[in-house]
Structures are given as structure tokens and as C-alpha cells.
Amino acid sequence: MDKKKIFLIACEDYNFYNFRSEMILKLVELGFEVTLVCPKGNKIPYFIERGCKFIGHTMNRRGMNPFEDIKLIHTYYKIFKGGKPDIVLSFTTKSVLYGGIACRLLNIPYIVNNAGLLEPSNYNPIVGVCLRILYKIGFKGASCMMYQNSHERNVLNAILKNKVHFRDIPGSGVNLSVFKFVEYPKKDEPITFNYVGRLVSIKGIDEYLKCAEVIKAKYPNTRFRIFGDYDDEHYRQRIDEMNSKGIVEYCGIQMDMKSYIADAHAAIHASYYEGMTNVVLEHGAMGRPSIGSEIPGVMEGIDDGKTGFVFPLKNVNALIAVVEKFIMLPYEEKVAMGKAARKKMECEFDRTIVTNIYIEEISKILKNK
């Protein structure tokens, strides 16, 4: 009997490696023929060695050129037509939208995981209308929508008129056996905060830098570290200058964040939008509190005052106030906050929950196909 074929599509290989590895390897273990579709990256050999196949292509994951987007739809169409998958699992914004259109044209069942909502109401009317049309075309034929937070679910269900089957999932979840609990840093060590994300305004880097300037001047025994790549080059000079003055520490891109999470006291995640933030989940799993913006996809990962703190979106003064509040907490309360964060991850965000939901939906699709 031929193996059932499952194609997974995303904009980058790291998305598969960082957030889907457990599910991908479980599908291989269950006897599926698993093919990863994305631009070639250095994590692809890891999956090929473990029984996956790979189809590479080029794409501009951040560009907004409509001709490039049409070309991407055509690329997916050719790949799916030639590969004849039984199901397509899609991740990341461009892949879910344009991969969904290609699947509909070929009548291939597909499951959408739309991490991070580009909400039409946040854009000018023309862009908003275009986004609504893209969501309708790309998602209307989905066999299942995987929603990472309730706000995203409510907005997209309204656009899709509640006609598409959906499941709520805890983001990508977190691998609790990989991100293990680590004892809190010792009492006399400098209080260290981590920023992890692309260096672009929507990830809250402006608020983080301003907070670092104010807090570092008042509390010299603090550290503000930055992990991530420059999506917007205009931040490079500013961060270089702040780095040279000792206000922040630019640490570049780290493929394995565990040791850097372990020696931190908390994460600061001032992002403007998320599906479900892995920054908070991974820090929480290792017993570190998070300070995050009060938005869907961040709030769910933080119990305010218990596992960290939240603050109003884009309100840098509120961020500074809550960071100072965290600094002033007795050491024992910081430790307790970290332990509570780990417990929350164990109860609500274990990655096996996500894998099991996917396997349930895949089984239903194949049964009905």
C-alpha cells in the first residue's frame, strides 16, 4: 500500500526545525511520506537524515510585490501538481495564503496555521480590502484552521463567515523536554533581560531600546541583551552606539537560545502582534518570567503578576514602570514567578498537545477523502 503523502510548506526551514520538529518526526514514525517545501536552509539535512523529502524554491518572504506573489502561487501550484500530496500543512503568512490558493485550484485538502494576524482594520481601506480578499481566497477551502489565539480566531471566522472548521491550539507549543527547567540565576548577579526577535518596529524594539536607556541609567546593575537579525537596517547604527556605551548588548542570531535563557532573569517582549509568542513559551518553560505587551498571542502566555507582567501596547512609560517593578521584587518572588511560569507551560503549552490535534485532523481528512 502506498504511503499517504503530506507536504509541509513555510517561508523558512527554521520554522520547521524550531517549532514543528516533533510533529514532523511523529508523522514519519506513523508511516507518512513527509515532504518539506521551502527555500533551502541549513536545517534541511536534519530532516532528510530522518526520512523526510525536500523540495526547494525561492521566495521573498517579506516583499509586497504582487508579481512576485503571483509567481509564488504558480510555484506552489507546480510543486503540488507534480508531487500530488494527500494533504498540505501550511505555516507562516505568505505560505498559508498563497499555498491555500494553489491547494484550492488543485482540490487538495489543506490545514492552515496562520501565526500572526495581519488585521485588515489596521491598514488603509484599500490594503484592508485586499487583505480580506486574500484571506477569503486563501482560507475558504481549508479543511481546518488552526488558531493560536482567540482574537485571531474571531477576526478570521468573521471574514470566513464561520464556514470553515477550526481548532484552537496553544501556538506551536513548547518542547518541555528540550526547554527544561533551570534554577534561577544567583541573587547577586546583574538582572538580565532578553529581547529575542527580528529587529523591526513591529517586534517592539523601539520600546525595548528606550526602556534600556532609562532603566540602565537608574539601575546600572542590569543587562539588556538583544538576540536577532536586522529586518530594518536603520536600527543598526543606533544599536551599535548603545552597545558601545554599554546600554545594550547585541548578541546576534543564536540557533540555540537555551543557555542564554538560563542565565537571564526575564524576557521582555514588546511585540505589536503575534500568533502565539514562542519567546514567552520558551522562557517560561525554563522557569523565566516574561514582561510582554498586552496583545493576543502574548497575554495568553503570561499570568499577570504571577508568571510575569503585561503592559499596554506601545506604551513605553508603562513598560519602564513594570520593568522597574520587576527589578524591585524580592529575589524570592522572582524565583517563585519563574517556577509558576514553568508550571503554566506544563499545564497549557506542552507541544504534544499541538501534535495530537494535528494527527486527529489529518486522520479525519484521510478518512473522509
Side-chain angles (χ1 to χ4, degrees), residues 193-205:
F193 298 99
N194 286 347
Y195 169 100
V196 185
R198 293 179 287 126
L199 302 186
V200 62
S201 63
I202 59 173
K203 289 298 181 179
I205 186 63

Side-chain angles (χ1 to χ4, degrees), residues 355-369:
T355 298
N356 290 339
I357 290 173
Y358 263 94
I359 291 171
E360 285 177 21
E361 292 302 320
I362 289 168
S363 299
K364 288 179 188 176
I365 292 168
L366 293 177
K367 185 178 180 181
N368 296 327
K369 190 175 179 183

Side-chain angles (χ1 to χ4, degrees), residues 97 117-118 131-139 156 160:
L97 285 171
L117 179 66
L118 300 177
L131 281 173
R132 286 179 178 275
I133 292 172
L134 279 174
Y135 279 135
K136 285 180 181 179
I137 297 173
F139 296 168
L156 288 177
L160 300 172

Side-chain angles (χ1 to χ4, degrees), residues 15-292:
N15 187 277
F16 295 135
Y17 184 79
N18 288 354
F19 312 131
R20 326 287 171 201
S21 291
E22 297 81 5
M23 180 177 67
I24 290 169
L25 299 183
K26 184 65 176 180
L27 292 172
V28 172
E29 179 188 325
L30 291 172
F32 293 102
E33 181 181 300
V34 177
T35 300
L36 307 183
V37 179
C38 68
K40 189 174 183 179
N42 59 16
K43 292 301 181 184
I44 293 302
Y46 170 88
F47 292 106
I48 292 176
E49 290 167 4
R50 288 159 177 77
C52 297
K53 296 185 176 183
F54 171 66
I55 298 175
H57 65 91
T58 59
M59 67 180 292
N60 182 352
R61 69 188 183 93
R62 299 189 187 107
M64 298 182 68
N65 186 320
F67 297 104
E68 287 186 352
D69 293 346
I70 292 170
K71 183 179 178 181
L72 181 58
I73 296 171
H74 184 244
T75 296
Y76 284 137
Y77 182 90
K78 287 196 301 182
I79 290 172
F80 299 160
K81 187 175 182 180
K84 296 180 171 58
D86 293 285
I87 304 174
V88 172
L89 311 182
S90 61
F91 308 91
T92 65
T93 302
K94 279 201 170 186
S95 294
V96 297
L97 285 171
Y98 302 131
I101 293 171
C103 285
R104 288 189 70 187
L105 291 171
L106 292 165
N107 199 29
I108 297 171
Y110 62 105
I111 297 176
V112 170
N113 187 326
N114 185 65
L117 179 66
L118 300 177
E119 194 166 348
S121 62
N122 290 338
Y123 297 85
N124 69 58
I126 295 175
V127 175
V129 169
C130 291
L131 281 173
R132 286 179 178 275
I133 292 172
L134 279 174
Y135 279 135
K136 285 180 181 179
I137 297 173
F139 296 168
K140 194 174 182 180
S143 300
C144 181
M145 296 288 297
M146 298 289 185
Y147 290 129
Q148 298 197 18
N149 63 68
S150 58
H151 178 71
E152 181 174 293
R153 179 227 302 153
N154 294 339
V155 171
L156 288 177
N157 275 356
I159 292 173
L160 300 172
K161 300 186 184 301
N162 295 304
K163 291 183 178 180
V164 179
H165 170 61
F166 69 87
R167 297 288 298 270
D168 291 324
I169 58 173
S172 303
V174 61
N175 189 325
L176 297 171
S177 62
V178 172
F179 290 90
K180 298 178 181 179
F181 177 82
V182 177
E183 291 297 327
Y184 209 66
K186 296 185 183 301
K187 188 173 184 178
D188 57 351
E189 293 182 10
I191 297 177
T192 301
F193 298 99
N194 286 347
Y195 169 100
V196 185
R198 293 179 287 126
L199 302 186
V200 62
S201 63
I202 59 173
K203 289 298 181 179
I205 186 63
D206 292 292
E207 289 78 5
Y208 185 81
L209 294 176
K210 181 61 178 177
C211 177
E213 285 180 326
V214 174
I215 294 294
K216 187 74 176 178
K218 190 172 182 179
Y219 302 93
N221 197 35
T222 55
R223 300 172 67 195
F224 288 83
R225 302 190 299 190
I226 299 172
F227 300 88
D229 197 7
Y230 287 92
D231 256 28
D232 189 335
E233 282 294 325
H234 97 266
Y235 287 105
R236 191 179 294 274
Q237 182 179 352
R238 182 181 176 191
I239 289 175
D240 284 347
E241 290 174 356
M242 293 178 68
N243 192 86
S244 66
K245 294 176 181 177
I247 300 171
V248 300
E249 301 171 34
Y250 178 62
C251 305
I253 304 169
Q254 301 297 329
M255 296 304 292
D256 186 348
M257 280 294 301
K258 292 190 289 295
S259 64
Y260 300 99
I261 295 173
D263 62 13
H265 291 73
I268 295 178
H269 196 60
S271 181
Y272 296 1
Y273 83 93
E274 295 286 341
M276 181 65 69
T277 170
N278 290 287
V279 175
V280 170
L281 303 192
E282 291 171 1
H283 279 77
M286 293 187 68
R288 301 298 179 264
S290 289
I291 296 168

Side-chain angles (χ1 to χ4, degrees), residues 336-355:
M337 191 171 271
K339 290 179 178 178
R342 171 67 187 194
K343 187 67 176 178
K344 181 177 177 66
M345 296 305 113
E346 291 174 348
C347 295
E348 301 176 29
F349 292 96
D350 188 336
R351 189 165 284 177
T352 58
I353 297 170
V354 181
T355 298

